[in-house]
């Protein structure tokens, strides 16, 4: 019998943010459950009132788009829940859990597919690539706000 070689797990951290419609519609718990039940780990979380400067910086790539001002208004209109979520291939996995940008096109079973209708009220943000996560996480969290801890059931989530 060959010796078992442990598989290298690609742990990633993603920046995820419930937009202001989630706390307003009291959907934070349900949405958080989607990530917890999947086996992902929340390593940072805070409810914050995003100011205009932070909103414009976070969404800088969209500054020339026609929807930019509405997007900044939406995101600054009421508190948002900012998070860092960790797991194997977490960035692409979370984008799948979140669903397509336009909730009308998002598959049922995804967060946007189940909880939203309008593109301008699509309830959640998630980093779209490792470079985005690396840029977005420090915009919202200091290093000492991100918790490094092990979950007791890790060996039941990862082989
Ligand atoms: P993503 O959130 O799925 O990554 P992006 O293209 O990065 O989608 O757009 C950022 C956010 O801007 C979207 O989540 C949505 O809230 C908003 N948005 C994008 N496109 C439109 C649009 O055509 N009309 C209105 N809002 C839009
Ligand atoms: Mg995006």
């Amino acid at each position: 019998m060959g010796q078992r070689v442990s598989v290298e797990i690609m742990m990633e951290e993603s920046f995820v943010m419930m937009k202001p419609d989630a706390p307003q519609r009291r959907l934070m718990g349900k949405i958080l459950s989607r990530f917890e039940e999947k086996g992902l780990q929340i390593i940072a979380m805070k409810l914050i009132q995003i100011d205009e400067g932070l909103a414009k910086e976070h969404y800088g790539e969209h500054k020339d788009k026609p929807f930019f001002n509405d997007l900044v208004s939406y995101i600054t209109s009421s508190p948002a829940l900012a998070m860092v979520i960790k797991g194997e291939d977490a960035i692409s996995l979370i984008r799948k859990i979140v669903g397509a940008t336009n909730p009308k096109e998002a598959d049922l079973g995804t967060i946007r597919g189940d909880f939203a209708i309008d593109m301008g009220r699509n309830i959640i943000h998630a980093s779209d690539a490792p470079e985005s996560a690396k840029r977005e996480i420090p915009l919202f969290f200091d290093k000492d706000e991100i918790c490094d801890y092990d979950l007791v059931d890790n060996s039941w989530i990862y082989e």
Side-chain angles (χ1 to χ4, degrees), residues 3 5-6 13 18 20 29 34 47 49-50 54 57 60 64 67-68 78 81-82 88-89 92 95 125 127 139 150 155:
Q3 206 183 355
V5 181
S6 79
E13 295 175 9
M18 293 190 213
R34 300 276 173 116
L47 192 66
Q49 174 63 56
I50 298 174
L54 178 56
E57 173 136 35
D64 299 321
F67 59 82
F68 185 66
S78 182
L81 188 72
E88 184 179 9
D89 291 323
S92 64
R95 290 286 294 195
H125 164 86
S127 302
L139 287 179
D150 292 325
S155 64

Side-chain angles (χ1 to χ4, degrees), residues 74-88:
Y74 165 39
I75 230 69
T76 58
S77 59
S78 182
L81 188 72
M83 294 172 281
V84 181
I85 305 184
K86 183 175 171 178
E88 184 179 9

Side-chain angles (χ1 to χ4, degrees), residues 59 61-62 95 125-126 128:
Y59 280 122
E61 63 172 314
H62 298 303
R95 290 286 294 195
H125 164 86
D128 62 5

